[in-house]
Amino acid sequence: MRIHHLNCATMCPVAWSLFGLRDMICHCLLVETDAHGLVLVDTGFGTGDVTDPSHLGGAFRGLVRPKLDVAETALRQVEALGFRAADVRHILPTHLDLDHAGGLPDFPETTVHIYKKERDAALARATWREKERYKTRHVAHGPKWEPYEVQGEPWNGFECVRDLKGLPPEILLVPTVGHTRGHVAVAIEGPGGWLVHAGDAYFHKDEMHPEKPSCPRPLAIFQSTMGIDGASRRHNAERLRVMARETKVSIFSAHDADELDRERARA
Ligand SMILES: [Zn+2]
């Protein structure tokens, strides 16, 4: 197994630099498995978002200011590594927010492993927040869903789903509901040990500090505004913090550029 740490989107929110924050990235994983093809964890923005960003919404584009560079899309990076879109056999989105699911239409034949709750929420778009975060264009091609129930067996303080259909046992879904209804972290046992892609279960590396966790104010406000279940979100962040402190598992969020640098150096 070989793991590539990709950045599949860059976002430069208004006034971010005033708080000393780096641009937000979209940390995605491209996993070369021995017998199961390529596995992509999160997709960032897709080529369709770059060519026609209007469906992302004026508020999102104005406040979050995505860079929308086609060279950053997962598809272009897969190709740059010498693969084709069809070589990506499985996608594991941590959730279906627009900055995580934008690349789905670039891989229309790929199986998408997802909690049923998350898929149903993205298709229903029942609340104003869900209309903002889930974009119909990202699922209009009819992804090949492989839905799961939120349940599982114990793993490092969480429940987890093992035996994902068509995937090796070194890849697990870890329910971390809170940011969205069916948010997951993805745990992978790679050549350097276990790592956990925590998606948007937290946003800033300081939130995982073992003794004095903290979060820059703009990110704290953003998380409580966009979270669907604040109590579950905080509880899951605490469980990730305990895992970071008490195990050798390497944990990173989707959007922290320092964590991406760290994981690339480690890899
Ligand atoms: Zn996100």
Side-chain angles (χ1 to χ4, degrees):
M1 184 186 278
R2 184 169 178 209
I3 302 175
H4 304 269
H5 294 266
L6 311 179
N7 171 24
C8 294
T10 303
M11 295 169 280
C12 324
V14 173
W16 229 231
S17 57
L18 297 179
F19 292 88
L21 295 166
R22 294 178 68 182
D23 288 343
M24 293 170 78
I25 49 92
C26 265
H27 192 156
C28 300
L29 301 176
L30 184 70
V31 184
E32 297 180 39
T33 67
D34 296 332
H36 302 79
L38 297 177
V39 177
L40 185 59
V41 180
D42 271 348
T43 72
F45 294 119
T47 56
D49 298 322
V50 176
T51 29
D52 177 13
S54 60
H55 65 281
L56 296 175
F60 176 79
R61 282 183 295 145
L63 289 170
V64 179
R65 301 194 300 179
K67 198 168 123 193
L68 298 172
D69 175 358
V70 77
E72 281 190 344
T73 61
L75 176 60
R76 290 289 177 265
Q77 295 195 64
V78 163
E79 290 169 345
L81 286 165
F83 301 106
R84 298 164 304 134
D87 296 329
V88 179
R89 302 251 304 276
H90 305 275
I91 296 177
L92 282 65
T94 57
H95 59 302
L96 294 171
D97 275 0
L98 72 175
D99 53 325
H100 298 256
L104 291 181
D106 289 330
F107 303 94
E109 300 303 320
T110 304
T111 300
V112 179
H113 300 260
I114 190 88
Y115 278 129
K116 185 172 177 297
K117 270 187 166 183
E118 183 69 13
R119 180 199 62 182
D120 292 351
L123 296 177
R125 301 172 79 226
T127 68
W128 70 265
R129 266 184 307 200
E130 289 174 322
K131 283 184 176 62
E132 286 297 315
R133 72 191 325 157
Y134 300 129
K135 298 301 170 190
T136 49
R137 180 159 165 176
H138 293 157
V139 294
H141 61 288
K144 291 185 174 171
W145 303 113
E146 188 65 73
Y148 299 87
E149 296 298 331
V150 180
Q151 60 187 26
E153 48 186 283
W155 185 80
N156 279 331
F158 283 86
E159 301 76 44
C160 75
V161 175
R162 296 173 190 272
D163 301 326
L164 300 171
K165 288 169 193 144
L167 284 164
E170 296 83 15
I171 300 181
L172 314 175
L173 292 185
V174 183
T176 42
V177 170
H179 181 66
T180 62
R181 295 171 200 263
H183 185 284
V184 294
V186 178
I188 302 177
E189 188 177 21
W194 281 99
L195 52 82
V196 169
H197 186 311
D200 289 4
Y202 73 97
F203 272 66
H204 192 272
K205 65 181 193 304
D206 289 351
E207 294 179 68
M208 290 296 110
H209 191 281
E211 283 101 35
K212 286 187 183 166
S214 64
C215 182
R217 187 127 183 87
L219 279 171
I221 293 169
F222 179 78
Q223 292 188 77
S224 52
T225 306
M226 291 310 290
I228 210 97
D229 176 350
S232 296
R233 184 176 60 77
R234 288 187 292 275
H235 175 57
N236 285 325
E238 176 59 27
R239 292 201 284 178
L240 287 169
R241 209 154 27 240
V242 170
M243 197 195 303
R245 190 175 61 219
E246 296 180 0
T247 73
K248 288 193 161 68
V249 178
S250 186
I251 303 172
F252 50 89
S253 79
H255 295 305
D256 190 296
D258 289 333
E259 289 182 333
L260 176 63
D261 291 345
R262 183 194 74 199
E263 292 303 318
R264 280 177 167 165
R266 196 194 300 261

